[in-house]
């Protein structure tokens, strides 16, 4: 399984607007049909650069689905964030492959 991870640092001055926007944006990414699910998480380590940092993790249906997302959807969906948040947001993207998963049932 492939996870497409987008880590975003957003300036405090744009935080509330961005948080509202990302909660609308994630369903748009999922609507492409390339991903099974997404998680929006807040990074709890304080950044030296300031602002607040989040990670959005999209679980791709497959490697091919992620490649298709890059070709067909990514530029269009990324353009909105650039237009709205330009110099208030820093984002980087990583791809993760799930090697194994573990869980514990506590009774």
């Amino acid at each position: 399984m492939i996870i497409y991870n987008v880590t975003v640092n957003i300036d405090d001055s744009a935080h509330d607007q961005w948080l509202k926007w990302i909660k609308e944006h994630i369903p748009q990414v999922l609507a492409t049909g390339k991903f099974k699910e997404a998680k929006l998480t807040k990074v709890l380590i304080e950044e030296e650069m300031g602002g607040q940092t989040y990670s959005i993790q999209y679980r791709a249906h497959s490697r091919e689905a992620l490649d298709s997302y890059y070709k067909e959807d990514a530029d269009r969906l990324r353009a909105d964030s650039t237009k709205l948040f330009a110099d208030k947001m820093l984002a980087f993207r990583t791809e993760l492959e799930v090697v194994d998963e573990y869980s514990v049932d506590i009774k």
Side-chain angles (χ1 to χ4, degrees), residues 17-25 77 80-81 84-85:
Q17 180 188 2
W18 178 85
L19 192 58
K20 182 177 187 268
W21 173 83
I22 197 67
K23 289 179 179 183
E24 296 169 359
H25 176 75
L77 289 167
D80 291 341
S81 65
L84 292 169
F85 303 104

Side-chain angles (χ1 to χ4, degrees), residues 1-106:
M1 177 177 310
I2 303 292
I3 297 173
Y4 173 57
N5 181 75
V6 182
T7 303
V8 177
N9 179 271
I10 186 74
D11 189 88
D12 287 329
S13 67
H15 175 265
D16 292 347
Q17 180 188 2
W18 178 85
L19 192 58
K20 182 177 187 268
W21 173 83
I22 197 67
K23 289 179 179 183
E24 296 169 359
H25 176 75
I26 290 170
Q28 293 173 357
V29 174
L30 293 176
T32 66
K34 308 322 193 283
F35 303 96
K36 293 181 193 186
E37 63 183 10
K39 289 183 183 174
L40 172 62
T41 62
K42 184 170 182 172
V43 177
L44 298 178
I45 296 172
E46 196 170 313
E47 294 288 342
E48 288 182 24
M49 70 174 79
Q52 297 182 53
T53 303
Y54 290 83
S55 169
I56 303 97
Q57 299 173 3
Y58 299 94
R59 283 189 174 235
H61 287 291
S62 64
R63 169 83 253 176
E64 294 77 20
L66 181 57
D67 290 342
S68 181
Y69 171 77
Y70 290 144
K71 289 177 192 163
E72 299 170 6
D73 307 294
D75 289 343
R76 171 178 50 84
L77 289 167
R78 288 178 190 170
D80 291 341
S81 65
T82 304
K83 209 182 312 177
L84 292 169
F85 303 104
D87 62 340
K88 301 286 183 192
M89 181 182 93
L90 175 64
F92 68 91
R93 294 153 182 87
T94 51
E95 296 176 8
L96 309 168
E97 181 178 11
V98 176
V99 176
D100 212 344
E101 293 188 79
Y102 304 86
S103 64
V104 175
D105 290 328
I106 299 176

